[in-house]
Amino acid sequence: MITDRQVLAVTGDWQTDRIGTALRGENPTVLRRLTSGFAVIGDVQFLPGYSVLLVDEPDVQRLSDLPKAKRLSFLSDMDQLGEAVERACSRLDPAFRRVNLEILGNTDPFLHAHVWPRFDWEPADVVGGPVWLYPRERWSDEQVRLGPQHDVLREAIGSELDKLRSRL
């Protein structure tokens, strides 16, 4: 039986409206609903555990567009997602090194934060630099495209988010 999540993943409709589909419960990448937005797992997993925090207001483009309280909430959610990725990745891969957090916004016109796990097994020419220096073909490599093979990773990050949020 094909699930709704599999249909959406194949059609890619959620990729054109990531926030709207998350608000409607139709975005298959959503890990958890957080206070200011959605924790989602990245479309590509060449660095396993790559996740993104999406703001829950589609028209918000910059952190400074949010009122101060919601801005702080977004940053707190980014911190929680970063810690959840760190915990999950360090448990699943002994070569885990650290997490990089980035708010860039140069491509997608909505506020979002990238959470990049980094590993000792990364190629020497990119391990010390930003993820954006990886060759373009890594970003479209079908072997690292998000799929059912990442379910354990999704569950691990989601579980860590639940633990962190239960302590609030």
Side-chain angles (χ1 to χ4, degrees), residues 23-40:
L23 288 166
R24 292 189 302 274
E26 300 169 358
N27 184 326
T29 64
V30 171
L31 298 167
R32 295 293 186 274
R33 174 69 154 106
L34 302 180
T35 305
S36 67
F38 299 91
V40 302

Side-chain angles (χ1 to χ4, degrees), residues 4-5 7-9 11 13-15 17-30 38:
D4 289 341
R5 189 166 106 180
V7 170
L8 284 169
T11 62
D13 293 341
W14 57 272
Q15 290 176 313
D17 183 12
R18 292 175 189 272
I19 297 171
T21 55
L23 288 166
R24 292 189 302 274
E26 300 169 358
N27 184 326
T29 64
V30 171
F38 299 91

Side-chain angles (χ1 to χ4, degrees), residues 69-87:
K70 183 126 185 202
R71 192 180 311 176
L72 294 174
S73 179
F74 184 85
L75 293 171
S76 177
D77 286 349
M78 182 178 74
D79 171 60
Q80 286 178 23
L81 180 56
E83 187 172 348
V85 168
E86 181 177 317
R87 289 177 176 197

Side-chain angles (χ1 to χ4, degrees), residues 117-146:
R118 303 305 298 263
F119 301 90
D120 287 334
W121 48 255
E122 292 180 63
D125 60 330
V126 292
V127 71
V131 170
W132 310 106
L133 295 180
Y134 266 86
R136 294 305 316 158
E137 58 269 10
R138 291 298 287 153
W139 298 83
S140 58
D141 184 348
E142 286 300 318
Q143 293 181 357
V144 295
R145 177 121 345 253
L146 181 63

